Amino acid sequence: MRQDDGGGDLYPFGRRDRHAHSIQTPAGWKDLAVTLTLFGLSLPMFAVGWFGVGLSMLAFDACGEGRCNDTAGSVAFIGFPIAAVVSIVLWASVAERRRRARRRAWMYGAAAMVTIVALFALATTVVDFAAQPK
């Protein structure tokens, strides 16, 4: 079916829409609630992870006479909380920018949690290898 726009030009389905429309609906209160919940859960995960890295540092008690790499273990023990806090702040700033642009941001809260788990796995692996006798 063709319609006449009055100017003599024919368009197949009416006037052309010159505005870009978003397919996604703007982020609402549900997205905000999920985002804040995920970031809120990342903080206890951080504390539990740091406690877990501290427990893994007990492997150095079996090292006698300095046969283990204490420096790598200390870097992992101190580097985990620093890297975790920096990652949470970075993911939160990205989520905040997305929220200001009226876009969904829950996935960045989930990314913060995944990053903390990955950093925990990395730190405990480094401590495990560092606690092996030379």
Side-chain angles (χ1 to χ4, degrees):
M1 230 184 199
R2 296 187 165 228
Q3 296 177 355
D4 188 6
D5 69 346
D9 295 330
L10 297 176
Y11 295 101
F13 298 108
R15 296 188 57 76
R16 288 187 186 164
D17 190 9
R18 299 192 189 278
H19 302 287
H21 295 285
S22 174
I23 295 174
Q24 295 179 347
T25 59
W29 65 271
K30 292 178 186 176
D31 178 68
L32 179 63
V34 171
T35 303
L36 291 177
T37 301
L38 289 172
F39 276 111
L41 288 174
S42 69
L43 297 175
M45 278 182 67
F46 161 67
V48 169
W50 198 6
F51 181 72
V53 172
L55 282 179
S56 69
M57 290 292 290
L58 293 176
F60 284 100
D61 290 343
C63 294
E65 302 148 10
R67 294 184 320 204
C68 296
N69 190 351
D70 294 332
T71 306
S74 298
V75 167
F77 181 66
I78 296 191
F80 171 75
I82 293 170
V85 168
V86 168
S87 73
I88 290 173
V89 168
L90 287 176
W91 285 121
S93 69
V94 170
E96 187 267 336
R97 278 191 238 128
R98 293 275 297 183
R99 291 285 308 162
R100 283 188 184 220
R102 298 187 162 290
R103 299 211 177 255
R104 293 187 181 114
W106 65 267
M107 70 279 298
Y108 298 103
M113 293 177 70
V114 169
T115 304
I116 290 173
V117 170
L119 288 171
F120 171 73
L122 178 67
T124 54
T125 303
V126 167
V127 168
D128 185 43
F129 284 124
Q132 299 297 323
K134 294 180 184 175

